[in-house]
Amino acid sequence: MKLYDCAIAPNPRRARMFIAEKGLDIPTVQVDLLAGDNLKPDYLAVNPRGLLPALQLDDGTVIDEVVAICRYLEELHPTPALLGTTPGERAVVEARQRQMEFDGMIATSEVFRNSHPDFADRSLPGDPNRPPAVAGLVARGRRTLGGFFDALEGHLDHSEFVAGNQLSLADITALCAIDFAGWVEIRIPEANTNTRRWYDSLSARPSAAA
Amino acid sequence: MKLYDCAIAPNPRRARMFIAEKGLDIPTVQVDLLAGDNLKPDYLAVNPRGLLPALQLDDGTVIDEVVAICRYLEELHPTPALLGTTPGERAVVEARQRQMEFDGMIATSEVFRNSHPDFADRSLPGDPNRPPAVAGLVARGRRTLGGFFDALEGHLDHSEFVAGNQLSLADITALCAIDFAGWVEIRIPEANTNTRRWYDSLSARPSAAA
């Protein structure tokens, strides 16, 4: 199998961190998102949606959503568990993961893509129809990120990690969202001491540099 | 367990259809989204995110994302499988499900919430900070829905259902998205004969009325 990746991009980083925490070694193919190579014929032949990352299996099957990629790898390599170990835990990890994704990762993407001049006709990832920037999403994304930081601080007041006392994909998504938010100068609020403790600890793991 | 539900809302319908296809009987508590009851203290005490549906387990745990709810129920009641039966199938179902969700359900939500006068300060679901409508999302959502219908027609040209030859959550999400799109007068294109065949067949299942 191989991972279509873009080393600088926040969403592929989630897959790389997950793979590193699993101790796996999966070859990568770099696709230059900034140059728009994900929307060119070579990559669209692999993934018609133009999204990164994508995992291509040896039989040619392409899995093109990071959460689906992670679940596939979790099933093949259950240890260490990064999606929970019981049905209840897995449900909480998935719900928390989605909160971190929607309110953290996607909100940041809305701020970034709709304010950066290089993305003036790339309001959405993977859309070859070049949707124009929507200015109102910058303020909306910033508001959502305010709620994201509040919720994250609350979760980390109750447990060591975002979805309990084990590292999970919810943590990986939240960390990648926060570092992505730094691109638009949004930082963890000073008062959020739980989050800052968690962020420093997670950032020091080797997987954070994967 | 009990399901916090809103009978008219598209997203809770995904959970109800899933539960009906499983042959399960789970008591529901109705929360009036149009009246904004999901953002009032009674419901925020159950789910601080204000989102519907939410599944409350007997131990008090609240699972507040429809995909997490469905996965939990799938683990407890594996037959009939609605999320795939092998790691590869499950990955494809999840990836396809997310495509139907992002490009169908969420795109429709953007069109609806940002154009309907009753949602002028509810641009996002579950946000108690009352984010104002973002006019540019109406056109962006319509464009995304065009791509959704193209992709869906292509999937259904290769297989009976959206993610292979077994019904899955990807079908349920796509059906709920299409009926939701009807609220903003967006319909399956006449030329999309695979989709119309699939839509008629799926709409005739008892679960579609759940």
Side-chain angles (χ1 to χ4, degrees), chain A residues 46-77:
Chain A
V46 174
N47 180 9
R49 298 181 70 198
L51 297 175
L52 288 163
L55 185 71
Q56 189 167 43
L57 309 186
D58 293 340
D59 70 359
T61 302
V62 174
I63 306 172
D64 75 341
E65 285 274 353
V66 62
V67 183
I69 292 169
C70 293
R71 188 174 316 281
Y72 180 75
L73 296 174
E74 178 98 348
E75 292 206 43
L76 264 57
H77 307 280

Side-chain angles (χ1 to χ4, degrees), chain A residues 71 90 94 129 143, chain B residues 71 75 90 94 129 143:
Chain A
R71 188 174 316 281
R90 278 191 282 271
E94 174 142 15
N129 297 316
R143 291 167 66 133
Chain B
R71 189 173 315 281
E75 291 206 41
R90 278 190 283 272
E94 174 142 16
N129 297 316
R143 291 167 66 132

Side-chain angles (χ1 to χ4, degrees), chain B residues 144-177:
Chain B
T144 301
L145 277 164
F148 162 80
F149 280 117
D150 289 346
L152 179 58
E153 181 70 6
H155 296 325
L156 294 169
D157 198 36
H158 294 101
S159 56
E160 183 179 350
F161 292 100
V162 173
N165 288 315
Q166 298 294 327
L167 180 81
S168 76
L169 180 60
D171 298 279
I172 291 173
T173 298
L175 182 79
C176 292

Side-chain angles (χ1 to χ4, degrees), chain A:
Chain A
M1 80 180 66
K2 59 187 171 185
L3 183 76
Y4 287 86
D5 181 27
C6 174
I8 62 156
N11 216 34
R13 185 185 178 210
R14 292 160 74 192
R16 291 198 309 273
M17 276 192 74
F18 191 94
I19 290 165
E21 287 289 341
K22 286 281 184 192
L24 303 175
D25 186 13
I26 299 176
T28 63
V29 179
Q30 294 299 314
V31 180
D32 188 342
L33 267 174
L34 286 182
D37 286 353
N38 60 312
L39 300 178
K40 293 178 182 166
D42 280 0
Y43 186 65
L44 291 175
V46 174
N47 180 9
R49 298 181 70 198
L51 297 175
L52 288 163
L55 185 71
Q56 189 167 43
L57 309 186
D58 293 340
D59 70 359
T61 302
V62 174
I63 306 172
D64 75 341
E65 285 274 353
V66 62
V67 183
I69 292 169
C70 293
R71 188 174 316 281
Y72 180 75
L73 296 174
E74 178 98 348
E75 292 206 43
L76 264 57
H77 307 280
T79 305
L82 296 172
L83 295 173
T85 53
T86 66
E89 273 183 23
R90 278 191 282 271
V92 171
V93 167
E94 174 142 15
R96 217 45 74 79
Q97 195 296 123
R98 284 172 63 95
Q99 183 182 18
M100 299 297 104
E101 179 174 56
F102 277 77
D103 296 353
M105 184 67 69
I106 294 176
T108 302
S109 179
E110 297 285 31
V111 175
F112 174 75
R113 285 184 172 263
N114 295 290
S115 61
H116 194 292
D118 288 354
F119 286 75
D121 62 354
R122 296 169 70 182
S123 177
L124 282 171
D127 185 335
N129 297 316
R130 305 208 158 271
V134 177
L137 286 177
V138 179
R140 193 181 83 169
R142 287 183 175 274
R143 291 167 66 133
T144 300
L145 277 165
F148 162 80
F149 280 117
D150 289 347
L152 180 58
E153 181 70 7
H155 296 325
L156 294 169
D157 198 36
H158 294 102
S159 56
E160 184 179 350
F161 293 101
V162 173
N165 288 315
Q166 298 294 326
L167 180 81
S168 77
L169 181 59
D171 297 279
I172 291 173
T173 298
L175 182 78
C176 292
I178 289 172
D179 285 338
F180 187 19
W183 295 17
V184 286
E185 310 294 336
I186 296 171
R187 316 279 177 198
I188 301 168
E190 281 294 314
N192 293 17
T193 52
N194 295 316
T195 304
R196 291 168 59 207
R197 179 264 307 155
W198 162 91
Y199 176 86
D200 290 344
S201 168
L202 203 55
S203 298
R205 297 172 81 103
S207 66

Side-chain angles (χ1 to χ4, degrees), chain B residues 113-142:
Chain B
R113 284 184 173 263
N114 294 290
S115 62
H116 194 293
D118 288 354
F119 285 75
D121 62 354
R122 296 169 69 181
S123 177
L124 282 171
D127 184 336
N129 297 316
R130 304 208 159 271
V134 177
L137 286 177
V138 179
R140 194 181 82 170
R142 287 182 175 274

